[in-house]
Amino acid sequence: MLQHPLAHRVHWSHAFLHVSHLLLPGSDRDRSLASYPVWRGEAFDADSFSTGKAACRCPRGEKSTAAASKPAPATPAAPEKVKIYWTDELMHKEVKYYNPEYAGDGQFQIENGEPVAVVLANTKVTNLKALEGKKLMALDLSGTAVSDLSPLKGMPLVELYLERTKVVDLYPLKGMPIKKLYLSGTPVRDIAPLQGMPLTDLNAIDTQIVDISPLAKSPIAMLWLTNCPVESIAPLHSIPLVSVTLKGTKVRDLTPLSGTQLQRLHIAETPVEDLSPLKDIPLTRLVFTPANIKQGLDVAKALPLAQIGTRFEEDGNDLLPPAQFWAGQGK
């Protein structure tokens, strides 16, 4: 029987296909042999075949289309930051750039070209962008319309005065080393960002603060909570208070003050009825509402007071020596 002239080639190719995966180290069984030059009628290179890679055979005088990859251009170095030596004039211009109505009535304390203290109290400043990145240690924004403290984030502030501003959010202050913070007359309610802050003085007169628990670990000596809707002062038991003003609050129970070294206490116009928790406290000044007291007057009389009265305000007071005060009370 005559054999087809191509029969031997077909037979050989079938055999090759069958064992191709054995001849190609690391090759995939499903890889198409048509990808290799021997099956495309091209010149065959044994080395490239044994490694499973097709060699490129280009006619003489022609360059390979697979041009060598060019190295990526070097990334230009970032320009060095130019240090600015701030002056009063430059600071005024910077503040005005972000606050067109600013009249140049701020004050700046500058050391070695860096502002360290800024007073913008009662100026027409609303935007603090001009202060961003500065290493201020003291800042007074009292009486301004400032509401956003974000530009202050990360500053090494030790003293910050925000009285009568529109600030509500204190979170940009979180983690700052602030010791003196004045918030009186602001709509602040949440003081959670103050937790762990090394506060020694906190003025929160006429704010909306209800929960003072974030203050429990702060070394506060001077605390003003006048007219705040605070009811519980339990966190104050662990604070080294020297003076506390609770006038106009909803506080009834003074027990958390027992055993403290408190020296000055203002509880006038509160629902406090019992002064017994004040026993043995080294108070030198007491301001209270006698008509509200139902228990503990004997404790109050035994306190080492230098002054006692029913009113102690910025515009005046009625403080008297204890003997004179009690005589006037007829008690």
Side-chain angles (χ1 to χ4, degrees), residues 3 43 50 66 71 78 90 109 141 188 207 240 249 255 260 291 311-312 317:
Q3 191 176 30
S50 66
L90 287 177
Q109 180 181 337
L141 299 171
V188 169
T207 63
T249 65
T255 302
T260 66
R311 181 171 174 269
F312 183 71
N317 64 77

Side-chain angles (χ1 to χ4, degrees), residues 63-94:
K63 295 183 179 180
S64 169
T65 56
S69 59
K70 296 181 180 179
T75 303
E80 294 184 7
K81 292 184 178 180
V82 178
K83 178 176 175 59
I84 298 176
Y85 285 84
W86 294 97
T87 63
D88 281 15
E89 182 181 2
L90 287 177
M91 286 300 299
H92 283 304
K93 288 181 177 179
E94 186 78 348

Side-chain angles (χ1 to χ4, degrees), residues 275-276 278 286 288 296-305 308 322 326:
L275 298 180
S276 299
L278 303 182
L286 175 63
F288 71 122
L297 280 177
D298 56 331
V299 171
K301 290 179 180 180
L303 293 172
L305 297 171
I308 186 171
W326 293 119

Side-chain angles (χ1 to χ4, degrees), residues 160-163 180-184 186 201-204 224:
L160 179 59
Y161 303 91
L162 300 172
E163 299 165 286
K180 291 187 178 182
L181 180 60
Y182 282 53
L183 302 172
S184 59
T186 66
D201 294 38
L202 176 60
N203 185 329
W224 294 268

